[in-house]
Amino acid sequence: MNSQDTTLQLPPLERALADLTDTELGLHLMSTRAMQWFLGSNGSDAYAMVLRGQTDDPYPLYERLRALGPLHASAAGSQVTCDPVVAARVLDGADFGPVGPAGKPVPPQVVPYFGRVPGRADKELWLPRFGAEACAAHDDLMAGVYRAALDRAPRPGFDLMNDVLRPATAEITAKLIGVPEGEYDRFAELCLRLARIPDSLLAAQRLDVVRDLDAAFAGLDALLGEVAGGAAPAEREALRAIWLLLSAEGVDAAARLAGNAALALLDDHDQWRALRERPELAAAAVEESLRHDPPVQLQARVARQDVELAGQSIPAGTHVVVVVAALGRDPQTYPEPARFDLTRGVVAPAGGGLNEFVAPLAKRQAEVALRVLAESGPDIRRDGPVLRGRRTPVTRGPLTLAVTTL
Amino acid sequence: MRVLMTTLAQASHYYSQVPLAWALRAAGHEVRVASQPMLTDDILTSGLPAVPVGTDHVLQQMRQDLAMAGNVSFPKMYEERDEPPTWADALDFEILTTALMLMAANNDTMVDGLVSYARSWRPDLVISEPYTYAGGIAAAACGAAHTRLLWGLDAPGSARKVFNELRDQQPEQHREDPVAEWLTWTAARYDVPFGDHLITGHWTIDPLPESLRLPVGVPTLGMRYIPYNGRSVIPDWLLEPPRKPRVCLTLGLSGRDFMGADPFSPAELVEAMADLDIELVATLSGAQREGLEKVPDNTRIVDFVPLQALLPTCRATVHHGGFGSVGGALINGVPQITIADMWDTPVKGRMIENQGAGLFFRPERMSAQIVREGVQRLLDEPSFADNAARLRGELLAEPTPAALVAELERLTDEHRS
């Protein structure tokens, strides 16, 4: 079939990105972008509007999705849920997985994942290294890195995201993985370039963005392959996959988590003062941030087989999207859901969308970052508007967060 | 010179290129016309050599698919909107026009075929229809000079200007440029870097009178509009002088073939004018006549008549805003009623109304009474004819295609590499 016939069709998702010409991949991305845009025209499909990713505040769109019922078929091809019971069922891992029944991604995922991901069998290897207990043992290391970054940041004005949270988080992860010190900068640069990976799977990105994600992923994979050379041969590949996930998705997720929390705290003087006075509330701030504005706003799954969901028959291969960010704003469960409250004392729904391999480290990093900021950082306040990304419906978090010590 | 003219396969767009092609040929230049294969017969009919390239575009099919998918509405030109466009408006416009029109009109096989032909034949000048961006790529790929030949308002040039301004005001991280993205990966197949000149050419030839041009700010040569209406036989009845003021009603080629449906009911229009003291000549296809219960006494219905033969005998014309209808009225100094809502047609209709040379109505606000009164006004108020004559004068002051040839030779020398 020649390309003029495929303008509105999608090339097979199972082909590796590197095997697609720029014309094939570009046409696919542009057509998908146009379709997502078109379906959201005149606000007709709220989920398509979310995928468009042109708004700084998607929460009103999430409320529109919630009002559509526990499970809603978007014209963009996914079943969408904001319902806690349905979400729990989709995310519990039994009937729904990350890929389709044939082990491959299904439309409307936009591009295939960029490499391999760790599986359940790798959990044993992961737990003693990056489980909650293991991460807690690195508090001092983490605090030292965040403190140093904070001390290094320019005065009086600096960018909390890019001067402190992103580079320091990358450095901590590099240290824990065992990346050689001389490669820290390269590692951090690759992690930064990969921040949009979760977005690229659902919202069509520009061709150059996808090519750069692919190149950065390959670069990171190669770097971690070198590091894995020092591990026991039987563990090499599994460790490499774990490290890749922690780096490609975990680093920016942790930075966003800390950034989202810092933003909410700085926007409410009483909350910020409470944390300054009691830095041990940092863990509560992280949990509340995971509820209030999670670092992973959407999670996609595919039905492994025909299932019943929310009273509907869902065929195998159906793409289901959980609007994690809407779960935490459910007014039935959380009074005044839009208010960030350190003392709320609830567990964030769906763990704020964090991947299970990523969650313990990311949460610990964010907690330590917030504690350092509150405990030993200068008193800061926001300085100017927050810049948020476009076509970032999954990651949402601030691209820059300007603060000042004045 | 060797001149390669190119257009997406759409007869009405091609017709506006034909007189300049003839002029270049008559001046001794080699002229070839490249388009998708389905235009070949139309090119041959015009007496010019055809170069079919690639496979046919699927614009019509796409429109049908989209209409099935939902409430399709093609973006409005910025000039048609009440509010100045925002960045979101501009993105909306660019994403939809790029993916739903430009990429489909310039399908990959067509671009490949055109570039390959241009590299073999090595034209000195490429003249492209304004939406046939393949022409700019082919010119850059073979080192030819490149000019656009407009057939209506410079909608792409104007939209590009507005978009560039809005884009440059956005934070770096928010910028995107869909048409540049598409042209970048497409032109990269031939090692041609993207630049805005691929879109707007080295210069532009504009067949509208200066009063009806948009302020796009690209180098522009005016050219007198010379009608070409395709293959035609002149009917005998045109020789008889009209006994009553003759009014033309035409819905054009595009209205019939391209858009799929008429923007308003032809039967309704004919009936609206049935009791006027005029002779109405309505060019309606069989399908357009459906719904017309009887042909009114004052009406002659014909399937086709070349507008260039009909309009000089008319005192007014009613049309859908297509370029053949507008241009024919302008060059013959005939006051015109535009009933239109598609792309550049409402903007053009409004500009003509503002010039005092006609009236403009949106189809959804049209009624029998409005049309009847409008036609009566065009016939009764001499200012309409005066202003139509003024615009005709502007066109007559522009060089004919033949008179433009020397300047094209000069500019080609300057711009080809």
Side-chain angles (χ1 to χ4, degrees), chain A residues 292-331:
Chain A
H292 176 258
D293 190 15
V296 178
Q297 306 245 310
L298 309 172
Q299 274 192 299
R301 293 285 187 275
V302 182
R304 293 185 210 272
Q305 62 265 323
D306 298 351
V307 290
E308 284 279 311
L309 190 66
Q312 299 177 35
S313 308
I314 299 295
T318 301
H319 194 256
V320 185
V321 170
V322 174
V323 186
V324 176
L327 298 177
R329 298 284 184 105
D330 192 335

Side-chain angles (χ1 to χ4, degrees), chain A residues 55-389:
Chain A
T55 174
D56 279 348
D57 180 10
Y59 284 91
L61 292 172
Y62 301 156
E63 289 313 312
R64 281 182 50 195
L65 286 170
R66 193 196 313 284
L68 291 170
L71 190 64
H72 153 70
S74 162
S78 303
Q79 296 281 341
V80 182
T81 182
C82 302
D83 181 272
V85 177
V86 177
R89 175 85 192 287
V90 172
L91 297 175
D92 74 5
D95 290 332
F96 296 86
V99 291
K104 303 213 160 129
V106 301
Q109 185 173 321
V110 181
V111 291
Y113 195 71
F114 296 78
R116 78 185 196 87
V117 289
R120 282 174 184 265
D122 301 323
K123 266 267 168 95
E124 272 177 48
L125 213 52
W126 167 85
L127 189 64
R129 290 169 176 81
F130 303 102
E133 217 173 299
C135 292
H138 298 299
D139 274 9
D140 290 346
L141 179 153
M142 295 186 192
V145 176
Y146 283 120
R147 205 171 290 126
L150 204 51
D151 290 345
R152 263 199 319 269
R155 296 290 188 280
F158 60 96
D159 175 359
L160 190 59
M161 294 308 297
N162 297 300
D163 290 334
V164 180
L165 294 174
R166 289 200 169 98
T169 305
E171 187 181 331
I172 291 163
T173 301
K175 282 184 194 298
L176 298 185
I177 286 172
V179 173
E181 204 172 332
E183 300 283 15
Y184 284 179
D185 286 350
R186 188 172 144 217
F187 177 83
E189 188 245 355
L190 290 167
C191 290
L192 188 63
R193 281 165 59 192
L194 288 167
R196 275 189 179 211
I197 275 195
D199 302 305
S200 70
L201 304 181
L202 294 183
Q205 308 289 317
R206 294 197 317 252
L207 173 65
D208 63 331
V209 169
V210 173
R211 288 292 191 214
D212 189 60
L213 288 174
D214 203 30
F217 200 96
L220 187 63
D221 192 25
L223 174 60
L224 295 174
E226 290 164 32
V227 180
E235 298 176 348
R236 265 177 209 163
E237 283 313 300
L239 272 178
R240 187 174 175 178
I242 293 168
W243 292 343
L244 255 175
L245 191 64
L246 290 174
S247 318
E249 296 202 16
V251 167
D252 203 72
R256 291 197 304 272
L257 175 54
N260 288 340
L263 183 59
L265 288 160
L266 292 173
D267 277 345
D268 183 333
H269 184 72
D270 291 344
Q271 295 281 308
W272 175 236
R273 205 180 48 202
L275 186 66
R276 294 276 288 180
E277 283 165 8
R278 297 175 57 203
E280 69 274 15
L281 285 176
V286 166
E287 199 62 30
E288 174 66 346
S289 182
L290 286 168
R291 176 201 71 82
H292 176 258
D293 190 15
V296 178
Q297 306 245 310
L298 309 172
Q299 274 192 299
R301 293 285 187 275
V302 182
R304 293 185 210 272
Q305 62 265 323
D306 298 351
V307 290
E308 284 279 311
L309 190 66
Q312 299 177 35
S313 308
I314 299 295
T318 301
H319 194 256
V320 185
V321 170
V322 174
V323 186
V324 176
L327 298 177
R329 298 284 184 105
D330 192 335
Q332 308 270 353
T333 316
Y334 309 101
E336 284 190 83
R339 204 166 77 81
F340 184 95
D341 182 359
L342 276 173
T343 63
R344 199 179 282 267
V346 295
V347 174
L354 293 172
N355 175 286
E356 57 183 331
F357 283 90
V358 162
L361 178 58
K363 285 168 72 171
R364 200 74 192 184
Q365 284 169 320
E367 180 190 332
V368 174
L370 290 171
R371 205 180 65 221
V372 166
L373 199 61
E375 203 167 53
S376 49
D379 197 11
I380 52 171
R381 58 182 182 80
R382 281 185 56 193
D383 185 21
V386 169
L387 184 68
R388 293 190 181 275

Side-chain angles (χ1 to χ4, degrees), chain B residues 195-262:
Chain B
D196 263 24
H197 66 282
L198 295 182
I199 298 173
T200 44
H202 291 121
W203 72 92
T204 296
I205 302 171
D206 196 332
L208 278 170
E210 204 161 354
S211 303
L212 297 179
R213 291 181 198 159
L214 298 174
V216 173
V218 295
T220 299
L221 296 180
M223 182 183 83
R224 187 183 308 170
Y225 171 71
I226 302 293
Y228 169 69
N229 305 133
R231 226 172 94 95
S232 44
V233 174
I234 310 292
D236 283 347
W237 58 264
L238 269 175
L239 285 176
E240 300 163 17
R243 278 167 297 169
K244 292 188 170 166
R246 184 175 282 167
V247 175
C248 165
L249 169 66
T250 176
L251 304 177
L253 288 169
S254 293
R256 290 182 187 187
D257 302 334
F258 192 53
M259 314 296 183
D262 290 316

Side-chain angles (χ1 to χ4, degrees), chain A residues 31-49:
Chain A
S31 304
T32 308
R33 167 74 163 157
M35 185 196 71
Q36 293 176 341
W37 189 283
F38 175 72
L39 294 173
S41 285
N42 312 317
S44 52
D45 188 294
Y47 178 65
M49 288 288 282

